[in-house]
Amino acid sequence: MEKAYDPQKVEGKIYQYWLDSGVFDAEINPDKQPYCIVIPPPNVTGVLHMGHALDETIQDLLIRWYRMRGFEALWVPGTDHAGIATQNVVEAQLAEEGLTRDDLGRENFVARVWEVKEEHHGTITAQLQRIGVSVDWRRERFTLDEGLSRAVREAFVTLYEQGLIYRGARMINWCPRCGTGLSDLEVQREETQGHLWYIRYPEPDGGPGVVVATTRPETMLGDTAVAVHPHDERYADMIGKTVILPLMEREIPIVPDDYIDMEFGTGALKVTPAHDPNDLEIAQRHDLPSILVIGLTGKMTEETGPYAGLDRYDCREKVVADLAQLGLLERIEDYVHTPGQCQRCDTVVEPLVSTQWFVKMAPLAAKGLAAVDSRKVSFIPERWTKVYRDWLESIEDWCISRQLWWGHSIPVWYCDDCGEQTCARSDPTRCAHCGSEKIRQDPDVLDTWFSSALWPFSTLGWPDETAELDYFYPTSVLVTGYDIIYFWVARMIMMGMHLVGREPFGEVFLHGLVRDEHGQKMSKSRGNAVDPIGLMDEYGADAMRFALAQLITHGQDVTYAPDRLVGARNFGNKLWNASRFVIMNLTDAAPVDLDTVELSLADRWILSRHSRMLAQVDRQLAGYNLAQAADAIYEYVWSEFCDWYVEVAKTDLYGDDAARKATVQTILRKLLSEILRAIHPFMPFITEDIWQRFAPDEGSISRQQYPQAEETWRDEEVEAQMGLLQAVTTEIRTLRAELKINPGQPVTVSIIAPDEAATSLVASQRQAVCSLAAVEQLDVATAPADAPSDAISAVTGGVQVYLHLAGAIDVEKEAARIQKEIAEIEQDRLRSKDKLQNPDFLNRAPAAVVNKERAKLAGFDQDLEKLRAQVKRLSSISR
RNA sequence: GGGCGGAUAGCUCAGUUGGCUAGAGCGCCUGCUUUACACGCAGGAAGUCGCAGGUUCGAGUCCUGCUCCGCCCA
């Protein structure tokens, strides 16, 4: 084995080995319990970012853990066609060639997108493989492949037949740049510095009329009323009268409506039903007409007369200028507002009434809520349940049609003869209503999230009643970021409940988003995105995974911390070298039966700690506390196994006692075997590589059993005893360090223990202490006639440690050091003493807590007494 | 406007039902080629746990209010 672990050399080979040996393949196995995760499908044209790295790390960790615990673990991979996002990517490519999608025509354009898809598919899957994803590649799916298209079709037709999908004219969000309608979720609001224009609408008889305030003066061309609050005294006598809409010279009514906020602007609201959802509601209450003034390309419609054909922003300027000219522009104020923007291109969207396809959400939302109320689905962390509930409880119908070319076609045909719709599972040749052959398919495609909503069951074969669906559905857990609870999680739950009749997954683990080192959201446009591939090139996939695992705490955003990568990489190297050491020393190992052979204190201690660690990892992983699980392993492996046990074991490994040697070898083999397996879900590559050297005949570590905590090894007493020895050892080391005695230079130490038990403990472990602290001669006594006069001293747990010096000691310095220690302990002692003098504490605190406090105080007293004696001794020396 | 999350060592963060003498990684200081590892070893310094109240024998942990930062919804 090399002196240092080199991830670049092994990761590629190991992944190939896994693929070749089929260890990730899952089968339907009635003898095993299924455990299934479907991957949140990355956009097929996307590149891997830190969010994926985090998401895949968690899922792979869980899948590998369950697989090793004997579950039939299936992780289904796949990619998403990502309708609008992908279409935009390809359109941007075309733009560079000076082309638009219309130049190509629909068929050629879609063919082109498929080409791009094929190109990118290899990239994203190769990148996923770098992370080490243990997915069953045989089952890979694509949201636009044949099977999933059939699922989409089935879902659409079913919902259509049930009246849950309908076509209608409603207020939607329109992106003039993308040229498509959007759902409410695809609109993002960002604070923008704008203006508030105050415009006077005079009365027909030339009276002053009312002044309205608006952030969008161009929409006034479509105004059909002015609304005021019914209790607004300023306008009491205006209600029921009319005013003249300037520029259009249209007479419009003043209507009373409770919706009006009297504080805002002048308290008078211009009503543009075609371009504002609230205005539309007011219009419906007052039976007002609606006039579409901004068209689908963002240009003014024919309804706007002289303004027709103008871009909406140019029109705004002209309207404002014209109003100023007429003397009807009262004033302009700066104003911060939050216009909706297209999630994909940031263009300000236009709310407008349009005929689109919608999913009727109320009945589905009820099922989605029931799934959570009945605990069929639970969120981790739990607080997201409320976010989910709040959304479903006030949900609007979902606009699912998109005026795009890349996506699932809407399976509806319109009849030119009778005008009816035909919605069918297979393409019809004639109208289902009149039999006419003059039918045309709806040109629109579906929102990409419609197919995503079916993902957990469509990937398992739905709508067919496949064995996979039967065995693996409902899946076990969904792992994703909290940013797509509405987009994806909620819709999967609703669709699963409604279409399959069962929840798509039992648990939803929502993790945070990855931010840069300054806590900023990572994004391409900010230029602060960290490339996970670069990290893996530099530190290795295992280091990245482990670092991420250490940062995953419940729902908290993850701040990228380069330091963590270094720490994780170092940990991998530590594991590598500890393994190297163990493997090197097992050459002539003859295993012994640990249940019958005599074990040393250190043996029993490490077995106890080991067992404790495994229990901890188990508990923390079960609760999705990945960071705590990772830390438990890290801490144990480095600070206990390596720092103490391996060091103690060296004495036996290099010694003459064959029995002891065999025992230690047996323990090291067991521990290493279990450590490797315990770490494998976190760091799959390095553990596999070591495993192949450690146990070459046993096949992939990914198929070994996950180690279980063995309660019988737990031993509090042994842990306490070892704790004392560790404290003594550390004291000797501290004294050495203070005197700057080199590690190679052996010293003589006297130990004075407070009682027989401690004395025999230290005496029996003399060899270990000597080796750990490089002590040549160690004397142990219960109570010496005289404290050594040529030594400096320290006290721990009632045990006095004297380090003998060849020459005279620096009495001043030594006294100062001890005084400082006394002062520190004194503080703690006082706090402890106060507590124990408080009768309420004695009466009300549990006995165990009180006893613990008493022991603590006794310990302080004991140490203080000894330290004071030492001060006395020093002063006698100085005389 | 409503809701949620965060504020703990120089930095990034742990701290599960209140018992803590508040931890880790990185950084910092001192010493060390100790034959697994300098991606290392040993030792050390460093925190009024955002602020103000309250509950309690006991609060980083529970309650109330406030400040600042971030996010979501309207």
mmCIF file with all atom_site columns, all heavy atoms in Angstrom, chain B residues 2-9:
data_model
loop_
_atom_site.group_PDB
_atom_site.id
_atom_site.type_symbol
_atom_site.label_atom_id
_atom_site.label_alt_id
_atom_site.label_comp_id
_atom_site.label_asym_id
_atom_site.label_entity_id
_atom_site.label_seq_id
_atom_site.pdbx_PDB_ins_code
_atom_site.Cartn_x
_atom_site.Cartn_y
_atom_site.Cartn_z
_atom_site.occupancy
_atom_site.B_iso_or_equiv
_atom_site.pdbx_formal_charge
_atom_site.auth_seq_id
_atom_site.auth_comp_id
_atom_site.auth_asym_id
_atom_site.auth_atom_id
_atom_site.pdbx_PDB_model_num
ATOM 1   P P     . G B 1 2 ? -48.080 41.070 10.732 1.00 0.00 ? 2 G B P     1
ATOM 2   O OP1   . G B 1 2 ? -48.725 41.084 12.057 1.00 0.00 ? 2 G B OP1   1
ATOM 3   O OP2   . G B 1 2 ? -46.649 41.419 10.600 1.00 0.00 ? 2 G B OP2   1
ATOM 4   O "O5'" . G B 1 2 ? -48.315 39.644 10.076 1.00 0.00 ? 2 G B "O5'" 1
ATOM 5   C "C5'" . G B 1 2 ? -49.581 38.994 10.167 1.00 0.00 ? 2 G B "C5'" 1
ATOM 6   C "C4'" . G B 1 2 ? -49.535 37.670 9.463  1.00 0.00 ? 2 G B "C4'" 1
ATOM 7   O "O4'" . G B 1 2 ? -49.209 37.891 8.055  1.00 0.00 ? 2 G B "O4'" 1
ATOM 8   C "C3'" . G B 1 2 ? -48.443 36.713 9.922  1.00 0.00 ? 2 G B "C3'" 1
ATOM 9   O "O3'" . G B 1 2 ? -48.797 36.006 11.095 1.00 0.00 ? 2 G B "O3'" 1
ATOM 10  C "C2'" . G B 1 2 ? -48.290 35.802 8.715  1.00 0.00 ? 2 G B "C2'" 1
ATOM 11  O "O2'" . G B 1 2 ? -49.356 34.878 8.626  1.00 0.00 ? 2 G B "O2'" 1
ATOM 12  C "C1'" . G B 1 2 ? -48.407 36.815 7.570  1.00 0.00 ? 2 G B "C1'" 1
ATOM 13  N N9    . G B 1 2 ? -47.084 37.337 7.199  1.00 0.00 ? 2 G B N9    1
ATOM 14  C C8    . G B 1 2 ? -46.538 38.553 7.524  1.00 0.00 ? 2 G B C8    1
ATOM 15  N N7    . G B 1 2 ? -45.337 38.719 7.033  1.00 0.00 ? 2 G B N7    1
ATOM 16  C C5    . G B 1 2 ? -45.066 37.536 6.356  1.00 0.00 ? 2 G B C5    1
ATOM 17  C C6    . G B 1 2 ? -43.917 37.127 5.634  1.00 0.00 ? 2 G B C6    1
ATOM 18  O O6    . G B 1 2 ? -42.870 37.751 5.433  1.00 0.00 ? 2 G B O6    1
ATOM 19  N N1    . G B 1 2 ? -44.074 35.840 5.116  1.00 0.00 ? 2 G B N1    1
ATOM 20  C C2    . G B 1 2 ? -45.186 35.055 5.276  1.00 0.00 ? 2 G B C2    1
ATOM 21  N N2    . G B 1 2 ? -45.141 33.856 4.712  1.00 0.00 ? 2 G B N2    1
ATOM 22  N N3    . G B 1 2 ? -46.266 35.427 5.944  1.00 0.00 ? 2 G B N3    1
ATOM 23  C C4    . G B 1 2 ? -46.135 36.666 6.449  1.00 0.00 ? 2 G B C4    1
ATOM 24  P P     . G B 1 3 ? -47.650 35.599 12.123 1.00 0.00 ? 3 G B P     1
ATOM 25  O OP1   . G B 1 3 ? -48.322 34.993 13.288 1.00 0.00 ? 3 G B OP1   1
ATOM 26  O OP2   . G B 1 3 ? -46.725 36.740 12.299 1.00 0.00 ? 3 G B OP2   1
ATOM 27  O "O5'" . G B 1 3 ? -46.865 34.461 11.329 1.00 0.00 ? 3 G B "O5'" 1
ATOM 28  C "C5'" . G B 1 3 ? -47.507 33.226 11.049 1.00 0.00 ? 3 G B "C5'" 1
ATOM 29  C "C4'" . G B 1 3 ? -46.661 32.386 10.126 1.00 0.00 ? 3 G B "C4'" 1
ATOM 30  O "O4'" . G B 1 3 ? -46.371 33.133 8.914  1.00 0.00 ? 3 G B "O4'" 1
ATOM 31  C "C3'" . G B 1 3 ? -45.287 32.017 10.633 1.00 0.00 ? 3 G B "C3'" 1
ATOM 32  O "O3'" . G B 1 3 ? -45.313 30.961 11.574 1.00 0.00 ? 3 G B "O3'" 1
ATOM 33  C "C2'" . G B 1 3 ? -44.584 31.628 9.336  1.00 0.00 ? 3 G B "C2'" 1
ATOM 34  O "O2'" . G B 1 3 ? -45.024 30.358 8.885  1.00 0.00 ? 3 G B "O2'" 1
ATOM 35  C "C1'" . G B 1 3 ? -45.117 32.707 8.387  1.00 0.00 ? 3 G B "C1'" 1
ATOM 36  N N9    . G B 1 3 ? -44.180 33.844 8.324  1.00 0.00 ? 3 G B N9    1
ATOM 37  C C8    . G B 1 3 ? -44.303 35.085 8.908  1.00 0.00 ? 3 G B C8    1
ATOM 38  N N7    . G B 1 3 ? -43.285 35.867 8.663  1.00 0.00 ? 3 G B N7    1
ATOM 39  C C5    . G B 1 3 ? -42.445 35.104 7.873  1.00 0.00 ? 3 G B C5    1
ATOM 40  C C6    . G B 1 3 ? -41.180 35.409 7.298  1.00 0.00 ? 3 G B C6    1
ATOM 41  O O6    . G B 1 3 ? -40.533 36.461 7.362  1.00 0.00 ? 3 G B O6    1
ATOM 42  N N1    . G B 1 3 ? -40.670 34.328 6.575  1.00 0.00 ? 3 G B N1    1
ATOM 43  C C2    . G B 1 3 ? -41.280 33.120 6.428  1.00 0.00 ? 3 G B C2    1
ATOM 44  N N2    . G B 1 3 ? -40.638 32.203 5.710  1.00 0.00 ? 3 G B N2    1
ATOM 45  N N3    . G B 1 3 ? -42.469 32.816 6.960  1.00 0.00 ? 3 G B N3    1
ATOM 46  C C4    . G B 1 3 ? -42.981 33.849 7.658  1.00 0.00 ? 3 G B C4    1
ATOM 47  P P     . C B 1 4 ? -44.178 30.845 12.666 1.00 0.00 ? 4 C B P     1
ATOM 48  O OP1   . C B 1 4 ? -44.604 29.799 13.611 1.00 0.00 ? 4 C B OP1   1
ATOM 49  O OP2   . C B 1 4 ? -43.850 32.202 13.145 1.00 0.00 ? 4 C B OP2   1
ATOM 50  O "O5'" . C B 1 4 ? -42.940 30.309 11.819 1.00 0.00 ? 4 C B "O5'" 1
ATOM 51  C "C5'" . C B 1 4 ? -43.024 29.048 11.162 1.00 0.00 ? 4 C B "C5'" 1
ATOM 52  C "C4'" . C B 1 4 ? -41.819 28.849 10.280 1.00 0.00 ? 4 C B "C4'" 1
ATOM 53  O "O4'" . C B 1 4 ? -41.761 29.907 9.287  1.00 0.00 ? 4 C B "O4'" 1
ATOM 54  C "C3'" . C B 1 4 ? -40.471 28.967 10.972 1.00 0.00 ? 4 C B "C3'" 1
ATOM 55  O "O3'" . C B 1 4 ? -40.126 27.808 11.704 1.00 0.00 ? 4 C B "O3'" 1
ATOM 56  C "C2'" . C B 1 4 ? -39.557 29.206 9.777  1.00 0.00 ? 4 C B "C2'" 1
ATOM 57  O "O2'" . C B 1 4 ? -39.352 28.019 9.036  1.00 0.00 ? 4 C B "O2'" 1
ATOM 58  C "C1'" . C B 1 4 ? -40.402 30.172 8.951  1.00 0.00 ? 4 C B "C1'" 1
ATOM 59  N N1    . C B 1 4 ? -40.080 31.579 9.266  1.00 0.00 ? 4 C B N1    1
ATOM 60  C C2    . C B 1 4 ? -38.927 32.142 8.686  1.00 0.00 ? 4 C B C2    1
ATOM 61  O O2    . C B 1 4 ? -38.241 31.435 7.944  1.00 0.00 ? 4 C B O2    1
ATOM 62  N N3    . C B 1 4 ? -38.607 33.430 8.959  1.00 0.00 ? 4 C B N3    1
ATOM 63  C C4    . C B 1 4 ? -39.379 34.145 9.771  1.00 0.00 ? 4 C B C4    1
ATOM 64  N N4    . C B 1 4 ? -39.018 35.405 10.012 1.00 0.00 ? 4 C B N4    1
ATOM 65  C C5    . C B 1 4 ? -40.542 33.601 10.385 1.00 0.00 ? 4 C B C5    1
ATOM 66  C C6    . C B 1 4 ? -40.861 32.325 10.107 1.00 0.00 ? 4 C B C6    1
ATOM 67  P P     . G B 1 5 ? -39.206 27.954 12.987 1.00 0.00 ? 5 G B P     1
ATOM 68  O OP1   . G B 1 5 ? -39.203 26.635 13.640 1.00 0.00 ? 5 G B OP1   1
ATOM 69  O OP2   . G B 1 5 ? -39.571 29.166 13.745 1.00 0.00 ? 5 G B OP2   1
ATOM 70  O "O5'" . G B 1 5 ? -37.782 28.214 12.320 1.00 0.00 ? 5 G B "O5'" 1
ATOM 71  C "C5'" . G B 1 5 ? -37.155 27.187 11.568 1.00 0.00 ? 5 G B "C5'" 1
ATOM 72  C "C4'" . G B 1 5 ? -35.933 27.722 10.876 1.00 0.00 ? 5 G B "C4'" 1
ATOM 73  O "O4'" . G B 1 5 ? -36.299 28.854 10.043 1.00 0.00 ? 5 G B "O4'" 1
ATOM 74  C "C3'" . G B 1 5 ? -34.868 28.305 11.781 1.00 0.00 ? 5 G B "C3'" 1
ATOM 75  O "O3'" . G B 1 5 ? -34.084 27.309 12.396 1.00 0.00 ? 5 G B "O3'" 1
ATOM 76  C "C2'" . G B 1 5 ? -34.075 29.152 10.790 1.00 0.00 ? 5 G B "C2'" 1
ATOM 77  O "O2'" . G B 1 5 ? -33.278 28.346 9.960  1.00 0.00 ? 5 G B "O2'" 1
ATOM 78  C "C1'" . G B 1 5 ? -35.207 29.757 9.962  1.00 0.00 ? 5 G B "C1'" 1
ATOM 79  N N9    . G B 1 5 ? -35.609 31.063 10.495 1.00 0.00 ? 5 G B N9    1
ATOM 80  C C8    . G B 1 5 ? -36.748 31.386 11.194 1.00 0.00 ? 5 G B C8    1
ATOM 81  N N7    . G B 1 5 ? -36.800 32.652 11.521 1.00 0.00 ? 5 G B N7    1
ATOM 82  C C5    . G B 1 5 ? -35.629 33.195 11.014 1.00 0.00 ? 5 G B C5    1
ATOM 83  C C6    . G B 1 5 ? -35.132 34.514 11.061 1.00 0.00 ? 5 G B C6    1
ATOM 84  O O6    . G B 1 5 ? -35.637 35.525 11.569 1.00 0.00 ? 5 G B O6    1
ATOM 85  N N1    . G B 1 5 ? -33.897 34.621 10.418 1.00 0.00 ? 5 G B N1    1
ATOM 86  C C2    . G B 1 5 ? -33.232 33.587 9.819  1.00 0.00 ? 5 G B C2    1
ATOM 87  N N2    . G B 1 5 ? -32.059 33.877 9.260  1.00 0.00 ? 5 G B N2    1
ATOM 88  N N3    . G B 1 5 ? -33.690 32.345 9.769  1.00 0.00 ? 5 G B N3    1
ATOM 89  C C4    . G B 1 5 ? -34.886 32.222 10.378 1.00 0.00 ? 5 G B C4    1
ATOM 90  P P     . G B 1 6 ? -33.513 27.619 13.857 1.00 0.00 ? 6 G B P     1
ATOM 91  O OP1   . G B 1 6 ? -32.938 26.354 14.342 1.00 0.00 ? 6 G B OP1   1
ATOM 92  O OP2   . G B 1 6 ? -34.518 28.337 14.675 1.00 0.00 ? 6 G B OP2   1
ATOM 93  O "O5'" . G B 1 6 ? -32.337 28.644 13.533 1.00 0.00 ? 6 G B "O5'" 1
ATOM 94  C "C5'" . G B 1 6 ? -31.190 28.205 12.805 1.00 0.00 ? 6 G B "C5'" 1
ATOM 95  C "C4'" . G B 1 6 ? -30.349 29.379 12.398 1.00 0.00 ? 6 G B "C4'" 1
ATOM 96  O "O4'" . G B 1 6 ? -31.166 30.381 11.753 1.00 0.00 ? 6 G B "O4'" 1
ATOM 97  C "C3'" . G B 1 6 ? -29.709 30.150 13.543 1.00 0.00 ? 6 G B "C3'" 1
ATOM 98  O "O3'" . G B 1 6 ? -28.543 29.503 14.003 1.00 0.00 ? 6 G B "O3'" 1
ATOM 99  C "C2'" . G B 1 6 ? -29.396 31.489 12.877 1.00 0.00 ? 6 G B "C2'" 1
ATOM 100 O "O2'" . G B 1 6 ? -28.259 31.388 12.037 1.00 0.00 ? 6 G B "O2'" 1
ATOM 101 C "C1'" . G B 1 6 ? -30.627 31.674 11.995 1.00 0.00 ? 6 G B "C1'" 1
ATOM 102 N N9    . G B 1 6 ? -31.650 32.514 12.636 1.00 0.00 ? 6 G B N9    1
ATOM 103 C C8    . G B 1 6 ? -32.864 32.119 13.125 1.00 0.00 ? 6 G B C8    1
ATOM 104 N N7    . G B 1 6 ? -33.567 33.113 13.614 1.00 0.00 ? 6 G B N7    1
ATOM 105 C C5    . G B 1 6 ? -32.753 34.230 13.429 1.00 0.00 ? 6 G B C5    1
ATOM 106 C C6    . G B 1 6 ? -32.971 35.594 13.754 1.00 0.00 ? 6 G B C6    1
ATOM 107 O O6    . G B 1 6 ? -33.950 36.102 14.280 1.00 0.00 ? 6 G B O6    1
ATOM 108 N N1    . G B 1 6 ? -31.876 36.393 13.394 1.00 0.00 ? 6 G B N1    1
ATOM 109 C C2    . G B 1 6 ? -30.735 35.926 12.798 1.00 0.00 ? 6 G B C2    1
ATOM 110 N N2    . G B 1 6 ? -29.798 36.832 12.526 1.00 0.00 ? 6 G B N2    1
ATOM 111 N N3    . G B 1 6 ? -30.523 34.657 12.484 1.00 0.00 ? 6 G B N3    1
ATOM 112 C C4    . G B 1 6 ? -31.572 33.874 12.825 1.00 0.00 ? 6 G B C4    1
ATOM 113 P P     . A B 1 7 ? -28.172 29.653 15.579 1.00 0.00 ? 7 A B P     1
ATOM 114 O OP1   . A B 1 7 ? -27.103 28.667 15.820 1.00 0.00 ? 7 A B OP1   1
ATOM 115 O OP2   . A B 1 7 ? -29.384 29.665 16.410 1.00 0.00 ? 7 A B OP2   1
ATOM 116 O "O5'" . A B 1 7 ? -27.520 31.117 15.629 1.00 0.00 ? 7 A B "O5'" 1
ATOM 117 C "C5'" . A B 1 7 ? -26.344 31.415 14.838 1.00 0.00 ? 7 A B "C5'" 1
ATOM 118 C "C4'" . A B 1 7 ? -26.076 32.889 14.968 1.00 0.00 ? 7 A B "C4'" 1
ATOM 119 O "O4'" . A B 1 7 ? -27.308 33.590 14.701 1.00 0.00 ? 7 A B "O4'" 1
ATOM 120 C "C3'" . A B 1 7 ? -25.591 33.301 16.352 1.00 0.00 ? 7 A B "C3'" 1
ATOM 121 O "O3'" . A B 1 7 ? -24.370 34.036 16.283 1.00 0.00 ? 7 A B "O3'" 1
ATOM 122 C "C2'" . A B 1 7 ? -26.713 34.164 16.914 1.00 0.00 ? 7 A B "C2'" 1
ATOM 123 O "O2'" . A B 1 7 ? -26.205 35.317 17.538 1.00 0.00 ? 7 A B "O2'" 1
ATOM 124 C "C1'" . A B 1 7 ? -27.515 34.577 15.684 1.00 0.00 ? 7 A B "C1'" 1
ATOM 125 N N9    . A B 1 7 ? -28.947 34.695 15.977 1.00 0.00 ? 7 A B N9    1
ATOM 126 C C8    . A B 1 7 ? -29.888 33.707 16.082 1.00 0.00 ? 7 A B C8    1
ATOM 127 N N7    . A B 1 7 ? -31.086 34.139 16.373 1.00 0.00 ? 7 A B N7    1
ATOM 128 C C5    . A B 1 7 ? -30.937 35.507 16.463 1.00 0.00 ? 7 A B C5    1
ATOM 129 C C6    . A B 1 7 ? -31.836 36.539 16.743 1.00 0.00 ? 7 A B C6    1
ATOM 130 N N6    . A B 1 7 ? -33.122 36.334 17.000 1.00 0.00 ? 7 A B N6    1
ATOM 131 N N1    . A B 1 7 ? -31.369 37.803 16.751 1.00 0.00 ? 7 A B N1    1
ATOM 132 C C2    . A B 1 7 ? -30.063 38.005 16.491 1.00 0.00 ? 7 A B C2    1
ATOM 133 N N3    . A B 1 7 ? -29.098 37.111 16.209 1.00 0.00 ? 7 A B N3    1
ATOM 134 C C4    . A B 1 7 ? -29.618 35.868 16.208 1.00 0.00 ? 7 A B C4    1
ATOM 135 P P     . U B 1 8 ? -23.013 33.232 16.433 1.00 0.00 ? 8 U B P     1
ATOM 136 O OP1   . U B 1 8 ? -21.977 34.245 16.681 1.00 0.00 ? 8 U B OP1   1
ATOM 137 O OP2   . U B 1 8 ? -22.892 32.285 15.323 1.00 0.00 ? 8 U B OP2   1
ATOM 138 O "O5'" . U B 1 8 ? -23.222 32.387 17.769 1.00 0.00 ? 8 U B "O5'" 1
ATOM 139 C "C5'" . U B 1 8 ? -22.996 32.985 19.028 1.00 0.00 ? 8 U B "C5'" 1
ATOM 140 C "C4'" . U B 1 8 ? -22.380 31.991 19.971 1.00 0.00 ? 8 U B "C4'" 1
ATOM 141 O "O4'" . U B 1 8 ? -23.240 30.824 20.101 1.00 0.00 ? 8 U B "O4'" 1
ATOM 142 C "C3'" . U B 1 8 ? -21.066 31.383 19.498 1.00 0.00 ? 8 U B "C3'" 1
ATOM 143 O "O3'" . U B 1 8 ? -19.967 32.245 19.758 1.00 0.00 ? 8 U B "O3'" 1
ATOM 144 C "C2'" . U B 1 8 ? -21.005 30.115 20.323 1.00 0.00 ? 8 U B "C2'" 1
ATOM 145 O "O2'" . U B 1 8 ? -20.663 30.402 21.658 1.00 0.00 ? 8 U B "O2'" 1
ATOM 146 C "C1'" . U B 1 8 ? -22.461 29.661 20.266 1.00 0.00 ? 8 U B "C1'" 1
ATOM 147 N N1    . U B 1 8 ? -22.707 28.754 19.143 1.00 0.00 ? 8 U B N1    1
ATOM 148 C C2    . U B 1 8 ? -22.328 27.420 19.279 1.00 0.00 ? 8 U B C2    1
ATOM 149 O O2    . U B 1 8 ? -21.802 26.997 20.289 1.00 0.00 ? 8 U B O2    1
ATOM 150 N N3    . U B 1 8 ? -22.574 26.628 18.193 1.00 0.00 ? 8 U B N3    1
ATOM 151 C C4    . U B 1 8 ? -23.146 27.011 17.012 1.00 0.00 ? 8 U B C4    1
ATOM 152 O O4    . U B 1 8 ? -23.300 26.178 16.125 1.00 0.00 ? 8 U B O4    1
ATOM 153 C C5    . U B 1 8 ? -23.502 28.394 16.937 1.00 0.00 ? 8 U B C5    1
ATOM 154 C C6    . U B 1 8 ? -23.270 29.199 17.982 1.00 0.00 ? 8 U B C6    1
ATOM 155 P P     . A B 1 9 ? -18.885 32.381 18.700 1.00 0.00 ? 9 A B P     1
ATOM 156 O OP1   . A B 1 9 ? -18.859 33.807 18.337 1.00 0.00 ? 9 A B OP1   1
ATOM 157 O OP2   . A B 1 9 ? -19.034 31.356 17.648 1.00 0.00 ? 9 A B OP2   1
ATOM 158 O "O5'" . A B 1 9 ? -17.584 32.024 19.527 1.00 0.00 ? 9 A B "O5'" 1
ATOM 159 C "C5'" . A B 1 9 ? -16.556 33.003 19.733 1.00 0.00 ? 9 A B "C5'" 1
ATOM 160 C "C4'" . A B 1 9 ? -15.240 32.309 19.898 1.00 0.00 ? 9 A B "C4'" 1
ATOM 161 O "O4'" . A B 1 9 ? -15.429 30.918 20.231 1.00 0.00 ? 9 A B "O4'" 1
ATOM 162 C "C3'" . A B 1 9 ? -14.357 32.283 18.646 1.00 0.00 ? 9 A B "C3'" 1
ATOM 163 O "O3'" . A B 1 9 ? -13.326 33.255 18.726 1.00 0.00 ? 9 A B "O3'" 1
ATOM 164 C "C2'" . A B 1 9 ? -13.704 30.902 18.636 1.00 0.00 ? 9 A B "C2'" 1
ATOM 165 O "O2'" . A B 1 9 ? -12.278 30.959 18.835 1.00 0.00 ? 9 A B "O2'" 1
ATOM 166 C "C1'" . A B 1 9 ? -14.232 30.267 19.913 1.00 0.00 ? 9 A B "C1'" 1
ATOM 167 N N9    . A B 1 9 ? -14.436 28.817 19.805 1.00 0.00 ? 9 A B N9    1
ATOM 168 C C8    . A B 1 9 ? -14.974 28.061 18.820 1.00 0.00 ? 9 A B C8    1
ATOM 169 N N7    . A B 1 9 ? -14.983 26.774 19.062 1.00 0.00 ? 9 A B N7    1
ATOM 170 C C5    . A B 1 9 ? -14.392 26.672 20.300 1.00 0.00 ? 9 A B C5    1
ATOM 171 C C6    . A B 1 9 ? -14.092 25.584 21.129 1.00 0.00 ? 9 A B C6    1
ATOM 172 N N6    . A B 1 9 ? -14.367 24.326 20.814 1.00 0.00 ? 9 A B N6    1
ATOM 173 N N1    . A B 1 9 ? -13.506 25.835 22.311 1.00 0.00 ? 9 A B N1    1
ATOM 174 C C2    . A B 1 9 ? -13.230 27.100 22.630 1.00 0.00 ? 9 A B C2    1
ATOM 175 N N3    . A B 1 9 ? -13.457 28.223 21.947 1.00 0.00 ? 9 A B N3    1
ATOM 176 C C4    . A B 1 9 ? -14.042 27.934 20.771 1.00 0.00 ? 9 A B C4    1
#
